[in-house]
Tab-separated table of all heavy atoms in Angstrom:
chain	number	residue	atom	x	y	z
O	46	ALA	N	-1.702	-1.810	26.293
O	46	ALA	CA	-0.372	-1.212	26.356
O	46	ALA	C	-0.130	-0.367	25.109
O	46	ALA	O	-0.536	-0.741	24.015
O	46	ALA	CB	0.668	-2.325	26.442
O	71	THR	N	5.249	5.697	-4.343
O	71	THR	CA	6.445	6.315	-3.743
O	71	THR	C	7.566	5.298	-3.561
O	71	THR	O	8.719	5.556	-3.931
O	71	THR	CB	6.087	6.910	-2.359
O	71	THR	OG1	5.106	7.916	-2.550
O	71	THR	CG2	7.299	7.492	-1.677
O	74	ILE	N	9.119	4.221	-6.871
O	74	ILE	CA	9.800	5.354	-7.524
O	74	ILE	C	11.112	5.650	-6.799
O	74	ILE	O	12.132	5.954	-7.421
O	74	ILE	CB	8.863	6.581	-7.596
O	74	ILE	CG1	7.764	6.313	-8.631
O	74	ILE	CG2	9.636	7.848	-7.939
O	74	ILE	CD1	6.621	7.313	-8.635
O	78	LEU	N	15.300	5.399	-8.457
O	78	LEU	CA	16.359	6.421	-8.501
O	78	LEU	C	17.750	5.787	-8.514
O	78	LEU	O	18.725	6.425	-8.913
O	78	LEU	CB	16.213	7.386	-7.321
O	78	LEU	CG	14.874	8.139	-7.250
O	78	LEU	CD1	14.843	9.060	-6.039
O	78	LEU	CD2	14.599	8.917	-8.530
O	84	VAL	N	20.977	14.077	-8.505
O	84	VAL	CA	20.050	14.508	-7.454
O	84	VAL	C	18.639	14.575	-8.022
O	84	VAL	O	18.373	15.318	-8.968
O	84	VAL	CB	20.461	15.901	-6.917
O	84	VAL	CG1	19.507	16.324	-5.796
O	84	VAL	CG2	21.900	15.885	-6.421
O	100	ILE	N	13.910	5.054	2.912
O	100	ILE	CA	14.977	6.067	3.004
O	100	ILE	C	16.211	5.426	3.647
O	100	ILE	O	17.336	5.561	3.154
O	100	ILE	CB	14.499	7.288	3.839
O	100	ILE	CG1	13.461	8.081	3.047
O	100	ILE	CG2	15.682	8.173	4.244
O	100	ILE	CD1	12.826	9.241	3.810
O	142	SER	N	10.967	-3.917	-0.331
O	142	SER	CA	12.424	-3.849	-0.467
O	142	SER	C	12.917	-4.649	-1.665
O	142	SER	O	13.962	-4.343	-2.244
O	142	SER	CB	13.104	-4.401	0.787
O	142	SER	OG	12.486	-3.941	1.948
O	219	MET	N	12.090	-1.963	-14.554
O	219	MET	CA	13.237	-1.124	-14.189
O	219	MET	C	14.539	-1.740	-14.708
O	219	MET	O	15.402	-1.028	-15.229
O	219	MET	CB	13.279	-0.913	-12.672
O	219	MET	CG	12.146	-0.032	-12.174
O	219	MET	SD	12.289	0.456	-10.446
O	219	MET	CE	11.767	-1.031	-9.587
O	235	LEU	N	-1.252	-3.230	-14.568
O	235	LEU	CA	-1.490	-1.883	-15.099
O	235	LEU	C	-2.101	-0.977	-14.025
O	235	LEU	O	-2.938	-0.114	-14.324
O	235	LEU	CB	-2.400	-1.971	-16.333
O	235	LEU	CG	-1.831	-2.796	-17.501
O	235	LEU	CD1	-2.842	-2.914	-18.622
O	235	LEU	CD2	-0.524	-2.208	-18.025
O	253	ILE	N	9.620	3.550	-23.142
O	253	ILE	CA	8.603	2.595	-22.683
O	253	ILE	C	7.287	2.876	-23.386
O	253	ILE	O	6.889	4.030	-23.546
O	253	ILE	CB	8.368	2.732	-21.154
O	253	ILE	CG1	9.690	2.551	-20.402
O	253	ILE	CG2	7.334	1.724	-20.652
O	253	ILE	CD1	9.604	2.724	-18.905
O	263	ILE	N	9.747	-2.178	-23.483
O	263	ILE	CA	10.829	-1.317	-22.994
O	263	ILE	C	12.035	-1.515	-23.912
O	263	ILE	O	12.492	-2.640	-24.113
O	263	ILE	CB	11.253	-1.704	-21.554
O	263	ILE	CG1	10.023	-1.765	-20.643
O	263	ILE	CG2	12.280	-0.719	-20.996
O	263	ILE	CD1	9.669	-3.138	-20.166
O	268	GLU	N	21.860	5.254	-20.509
O	268	GLU	CA	21.961	6.073	-19.301
O	268	GLU	C	20.610	6.672	-18.951
O	268	GLU	O	19.832	7.000	-19.846
O	268	GLU	CB	22.941	7.217	-19.570
O	268	GLU	CG	23.649	7.693	-18.344
O	268	GLU	CD	24.498	8.930	-18.649
O	268	GLU	OE1	24.842	9.161	-19.819
O	268	GLU	OE2	24.779	9.651	-17.706
O	281	MET	N	-5.701	4.740	-2.066
O	281	MET	CA	-6.041	3.957	-0.866
O	281	MET	C	-6.420	4.894	0.289
O	281	MET	O	-7.359	4.612	1.043
O	281	MET	CB	-4.864	3.074	-0.433
O	281	MET	CG	-4.304	2.195	-1.527
O	281	MET	SD	-5.571	1.278	-2.449
O	281	MET	CE	-4.570	0.709	-3.827
O	289	ALA	N	-15.011	6.223	5.433
O	289	ALA	CA	-15.313	6.881	6.717
O	289	ALA	C	-16.599	7.700	6.591
O	289	ALA	O	-17.434	7.710	7.500
O	289	ALA	CB	-14.144	7.771	7.137
O	304	ALA	N	-10.683	10.098	-9.008
O	304	ALA	CA	-11.876	9.328	-9.410
O	304	ALA	C	-11.589	8.447	-10.621
O	304	ALA	O	-12.091	7.320	-10.714
O	304	ALA	CB	-13.016	10.291	-9.722
O	320	THR	N	-24.608	8.370	-2.646
O	320	THR	CA	-24.540	9.277	-3.801
O	320	THR	C	-23.093	9.700	-4.012
O	320	THR	O	-22.422	10.149	-3.075
O	320	THR	CB	-25.415	10.529	-3.536
O	320	THR	OG1	-26.743	10.069	-3.271
O	320	THR	CG2	-25.422	11.462	-4.735
Side-chain angles (χ1 to χ4, degrees):
T71 298
I74 288 169
L78 301 180
V84 181
I100 289 175
S142 316
M219 290 189 283
L235 299 176
I253 304 177
I263 308 112
E268 209 186 339
M281 307 312 167
T320 303

